[in-house]
Amino acid sequence: MLLKNISVDCVIFGFDGERLNVLLWQADPQLLLKVVRENEDYEQVRILYESHPSLLTDYTWGLIGAHVPYETGLDEFAQDITSGSTGLRNVYLRQFQTFGDCNRVAYYRVITVGYYALINPRYHDLQMSPLTRKMMWFDIDHLPRLCFDHEKIIISALNHLRESVKYHPVGFHLLPEKFTLTELQTMYEVILGEKLDIRNFRKKIQKMDFLLESGEKQVNVPHRAARLYKFDKDKYELLVKEGLTFRI
Amino acid sequence: MLLKNISVDCVIFGFDGERLNVLLWQADPQLLLKVVRENEDYEQVRILYESHPSLLTDYTWGLIGAHVPYETGLDEFAQDITSGSTGLRNVYLRQFQTFGDCNRVAYYRVITVGYYALINPRYHDLQMSPLTRKMMWFDIDHLPRLCFDHEKIIISALNHLRESVKYHPVGFHLLPEKFTLTELQTMYEVILGEKLDIRNFRKKIQKMDFLLESGEKQVNVPHRAARLYKFDKDKYELLVKEGLTFRI
DNA sequence: CCAAAAGTGTTAGACCTACACCCATGA
DNA sequence: TCATGGGTGTAGGTCTAACACTTTTGG
């Protein structure tokens, strides 16, 4: 059984080395209609059909989300949704805000709990549900038209991430295991939306002392190869206990 | 109509000049039962009765909260709940987290959206609903036993407030219109749980430049009378636009 | 040898921390 | 006149911001 008035929407952020992207999908109206007609027990679809009729007429993009099952906790369900579209398990997920205006969704009262995920998209393919017409990464500065209040939700997630990234080392979830200092800096620049001074940035990061040199370097780059670093999570936890204040 | 699976709980913080307190209430089991028997249409009570049977047997304290009406937005409803118990309108309210574990409330799936309110309790009396046996302020360091996961919710609200107060001037909502620098400092000390240096605190606050001297002083105090200040909201907004970073 | 990005240090000013004594008031 | 909290300044160390050139690599 699904809770008809409660959904979870996930703003899935991915950093490709240059830009911050969000994963969006588009339902296939024909398929939706077909499922509703042929199978009234497919509750998720029936609710979608009743509450979001615009999905049947417009090709609009939306966040990955669904109504919450009675027997699934919110955090757990956000993981389910994320792994359902990215195939990744144990993703970094942050509940950031719940949206509960009366008219945020037409025809129906749906309160949605917003989570954002931070993933490194490099090595993973997307998984599309049978109802999906398209699923794609969009640069956060060039979003398409979105259904309902999903644009507001994305902006809100981004603002939350911006604050969070200044004081907590969450950004590492967006990077591959081994990364260069330039990649790290670029990531901060696209999230914060401002340029950072390369020398000051490196000094600050190195002083915090939770990067490990992997010993490796970039290969096959048409310029001097950069050193690859790893994030030392154990050291970070230790430093936090001793009262470190991470601050970009 | 009420949404049976969604409630709002308000952690109402009040600062009395010395301690940070939370407003809690206790239902009256006899009254609850009576209302349920005599009036099946009193939906709020019926739901409470069905989902929270322990309220009928134990005298437990809980947060001020209720199930959300179909036609009321979440933010609006949090205001309703707060004004229903404090009589105050246009209170500072912050949605901080939504709690959605499956078993947070026995017998029933209820997802609750947590808000905290910051008020100055000095000049206001509490308003008790007919179902209330007791309603009281509790020092946050000496909470009674609480029903459901309400202790967790309060701790979570407090942590959120602690972070928030470091970077945003929200603390002013806890103070009366006119206050002394010592009251301001004490407020920060009890929220942050640490002593601050008086001279450095005053320098920092004065440099931020959004306090106005009211020209008045304390009266009838058995020591040198302190100057009374007001918070200059317009100036603060202006400084924020210019890129001020408030930081205690 | 050229293009492209990696990598590195110093200085001036702002900010933070630690710390101790006199002042005004009411009882 | 005493008890109580109000109110004030300085110095040393740390952090921040601004800024330009050399190195390495592949093509």
Side-chain angles (χ1 to χ4, degrees):
Chain A
M1 196 188 96
L2 299 177
L3 299 168
K4 287 189 197 160
N5 300 295
I6 308 174
S7 65
V8 162
D9 279 304
C10 291
V11 182
I12 301 176
F13 287 116
F15 175 66
D16 61 11
E18 291 178 7
R19 311 284 335 182
L20 188 62
N21 300 305
V22 185
L23 189 59
L24 300 174
W25 79 297
Q26 211 177 68
D28 185 321
Q30 269 91 49
L31 266 179
L32 266 186
L33 253 183
K34 204 171 153 213
V35 173
V36 171
R37 287 199 184 120
E38 293 177 5
N39 184 354
E40 293 212 357
D41 293 338
Y42 199 163
E43 199 185 1
Q44 182 75 52
V45 176
R46 214 186 59 244
I47 292 175
L48 203 64
Y49 171 73
E50 284 168 4
S51 62
H52 311 334
S54 63
L55 289 179
L56 299 181
T57 51
D58 312 333
Y59 291 136
T60 57
W61 292 93
L63 290 168
I64 321 285
H67 283 265
V68 178
Y70 190 93
E71 66 284 349
T72 315
L74 289 180
D75 291 352
E76 185 190 348
F77 189 54
Q79 283 286 353
D80 292 348
I81 287 174
T82 311
S83 67
S85 52
T86 63
L88 297 171
R89 292 228 63 102
N90 290 115
V91 159
Y92 175 81
L93 267 169
R94 179 70 158 80
Q95 189 203 293
F96 66 98
Q97 198 180 328
T98 296
F99 299 83
D101 285 355
C102 286
N103 306 314
R104 54 172 294 277
V105 160
Y107 303 103
Y108 212 69
R109 181 78 193 271
V110 183
I111 284 160
T112 198
V113 184
Y115 285 77
Y116 60 84
L118 303 181
I119 71 171
N120 169 247
R122 206 172 298 181
Y123 307 113
H124 299 278
D125 292 331
L126 301 178
Q127 327 248 313
M128 306 224 270
S129 87
L131 297 173
T132 306
R133 201 173 92 98
K134 291 188 195 162
M135 183 179 277
M136 249 179 78
W137 290 102
F138 284 87
D139 182 336
I140 46 147
D141 290 327
H142 299 95
L143 294 176
R145 182 176 303 201
L146 287 154
C147 58
F148 318 129
D149 57 352
H150 285 192
E151 184 174 358
K152 182 177 154 192
I153 294 176
I154 293 174
I155 291 172
S156 173
L158 186 59
N159 286 335
H160 196 287
L161 173 61
R162 279 191 176 146
E163 285 306 304
S164 179
V165 95
K166 283 185 197 164
Y167 305 110
H168 309 284
V170 292
F172 294 95
H173 297 282
L174 288 165
L175 295 168
E177 198 204 351
K178 293 169 188 170
F179 50 86
T180 68
L181 291 182
T182 303
E183 284 169 332
L184 186 62
Q185 181 173 345
T186 306
M187 184 200 71
Y188 278 106
E189 288 176 344
V190 298
I191 292 177
L192 298 175
E194 58 183 294
K195 284 280 168 197
L196 303 172
D197 179 277
I198 172 172
R199 276 175 286 187
N200 293 336
F201 179 81
R202 281 164 186 242
K203 260 180 294 178
K204 212 181 263 188
I205 288 288
Q206 309 241 359
K207 192 160 30 117
M208 287 180 200
D209 195 37
F210 45 72
L211 288 193
L212 282 173
E213 279 202 45
S214 73
E216 298 169 54
K217 291 190 170 193
Q218 287 179 313
V219 288
N220 283 322
V221 285
H223 53 75
R224 179 171 173 178
R227 292 200 267 263
L228 292 168
Y229 290 84
K230 292 200 273 188
F231 176 57
D232 189 337
K233 200 150 194 268
D234 295 341
K235 200 156 197 174
Y236 170 71
E237 310 276 8
L238 210 118
L239 290 173
V240 164
K241 268 188 205 148
E242 289 169 1
L244 160 90
T245 49
F246 178 95
R247 179 94 206 262
I248 290 295
Chain B
M1 196 190 94
L2 299 177
L3 299 167
K4 287 190 199 160
N5 301 295
I6 307 173
S7 65
V8 161
D9 279 304
C10 291
V11 182
I12 301 176
F13 287 116
F15 175 65
D16 60 12
E18 290 178 8
R19 311 283 335 182
L20 188 62
N21 300 305
V22 185
L23 189 59
L24 300 174
W25 78 298
Q26 211 177 66
D28 185 323
Q30 269 91 49
L31 266 179
L32 265 187
L33 252 184
K34 203 169 151 214
V35 173
V36 170
R37 288 199 183 120
E38 293 177 3
N39 184 355
E40 294 211 356
D41 293 340
Y42 200 163
E43 198 185 1
Q44 182 75 49
V45 176
R46 213 184 62 245
I47 293 175
L48 203 64
Y49 171 73
E50 284 168 4
S51 62
H52 310 335
S54 63
L55 288 180
L56 299 181
T57 51
D58 311 334
Y59 291 137
T60 58
W61 293 93
L63 291 168
I64 322 284
H67 284 265
V68 178
Y70 190 93
E71 67 284 349
T72 315
L74 288 180
D75 292 351
E76 186 190 347
F77 189 53
Q79 282 286 355
D80 293 347
I81 286 174
T82 311
S83 67
S85 53
T86 63
L88 297 171
R89 293 229 61 103
N90 289 116
V91 159
Y92 176 82
L93 268 169
R94 180 70 158 81
Q95 189 203 291
F96 66 99
Q97 199 180 326
T98 295
F99 298 82
D101 285 356
C102 286
N103 306 313
R104 53 171 297 277
V105 160
Y107 302 101
Y108 212 71
R109 180 78 192 271
V110 183
I111 284 160
T112 198
V113 183
Y115 284 77
Y116 60 84
L118 303 181
I119 71 170
N120 169 247
R122 206 173 296 183
Y123 307 113
H124 299 281
D125 292 329
L126 302 178
Q127 326 247 315
M128 305 224 272
S129 87
L131 296 173
T132 307
R133 199 173 91 97
K134 290 188 196 162
M135 184 178 275
M136 248 178 77
W137 290 102
F138 284 87
D139 182 337
I140 46 147
D141 291 327
H142 299 95
L143 294 175
R145 180 177 302 200
L146 287 153
C147 60
F148 318 129
D149 56 351
H150 285 192
E151 184 175 358
K152 182 177 154 192
I153 294 176
I154 293 173
I155 292 171
S156 173
L158 187 59
N159 286 335
H160 197 286
L161 174 61
R162 278 192 176 144
E163 286 306 303
S164 179
V165 96
K166 282 184 199 165
Y167 306 109
H168 308 286
V170 292
F172 293 96
H173 297 283
L174 288 165
L175 295 169
E177 197 204 351
K178 294 169 188 171
F179 50 86
T180 68
L181 292 182
T182 302
E183 284 170 331
L184 185 63
Q185 183 174 344
T186 306
M187 184 200 72
Y188 277 106
E189 288 176 344
V190 300
I191 292 177
L192 299 174
E194 58 182 295
K195 285 279 168 197
L196 303 172
D197 180 276
I198 172 171
R199 276 174 287 188
N200 294 336
F201 180 81
R202 282 164 185 242
K203 259 179 296 176
K204 211 180 262 185
I205 288 287
Q206 309 241 359
K207 192 162 30 117
M208 286 179 199
D209 196 34
F210 44 74
L211 288 193
L212 281 173
E213 280 203 44
S214 72
E216 296 168 55
K217 290 190 169 193
Q218 286 178 315
V219 287
N220 284 322
V221 284
H223 53 75
R224 178 171 173 179
R227 292 199 267 262
L228 292 168
Y229 291 84
K230 293 200 272 187
F231 176 58
D232 189 337
K233 198 150 195 269
D234 295 342
K235 201 156 196 175
Y236 170 72
E237 310 277 9
L238 210 119
L239 290 173
V240 165
K241 266 187 206 148
E242 288 168 1
L244 161 89
T245 49
F246 177 95
R247 180 94 205 262
I248 290 294

